[in-house]
Amino acid sequence: MKKLLFSLAIISFSVILQAQKEDASSLLKSGTDKFNSGNLDGAVIDLSKAIELAPQNAEAYFTLGEVKFKQNDDKEAMVNYNKALEINPKN
C-alpha cells in the first residue's frame, strides 16, 4: 500500500511540475507579447511570474532585462541579463 501511495504521489508531483512548466511558457509568451506592444508594466508582471514558476528559464530573465532597460532601470536590466547569462552562458 505504501508503494502505491508513493507512486501516486510521484505521478501527481510530475503532473504539477509539467503544468507549472506550461504555465511558465504561457507567461513568458504573454510577457513577451506585452513587451512588444508597449505594455511594460504588464510584461514585468507576467515575466516575473514565469521566473517564479521556472527559475532556470534564461529567456524569461533576458526578456525581463529588456523590459527593465526600456523602463530606464539599467541596474535591474543588468541583474536580469547577468542571471540569464549565468543560467545559459552560451547565449
Side-chain angles (χ1 to χ4, degrees):
M1 183 65 164
K2 285 183 180 181
K3 284 185 178 183
L4 176 61
L5 290 175
F6 183 74
S7 294
L8 289 173
I10 296 281
I11 291 168
S12 296
F13 186 68
S14 297
V15 168
I16 290 168
L17 287 178
Q18 183 61 34
Q20 283 184 336
K21 183 178 178 185
E22 290 170 5
D23 286 347
S25 295
S26 296
L27 286 164
L28 173 59
K29 180 176 181 347
S30 176
T32 301
D33 290 345
K34 287 177 181 176
F35 170 65
N36 290 331
S37 70
N39 180 357
L40 302 181
D41 293 335
V44 169
I45 291 168
D46 288 355
L47 294 167
S48 296
K49 287 180 185 175
I51 289 168
E52 186 178 316
L53 292 172
Q56 293 302 310
N57 188 323
E59 185 178 355
Y61 281 103
F62 180 81
T63 306
L64 185 55
E66 293 285 281
V67 174
K68 291 297 184 176
F69 181 76
K70 186 87 168 181
Q71 291 178 320
N72 296 314
D73 188 347
D74 296 340
K75 181 179 177 185
E76 280 301 309
M78 288 305 299
V79 167
N80 285 285
Y81 291 144
N82 286 330
K83 185 64 177 178
L85 282 172
E86 179 184 313
I87 293 168
N88 187 0
K90 294 183 181 180
N91 274 337

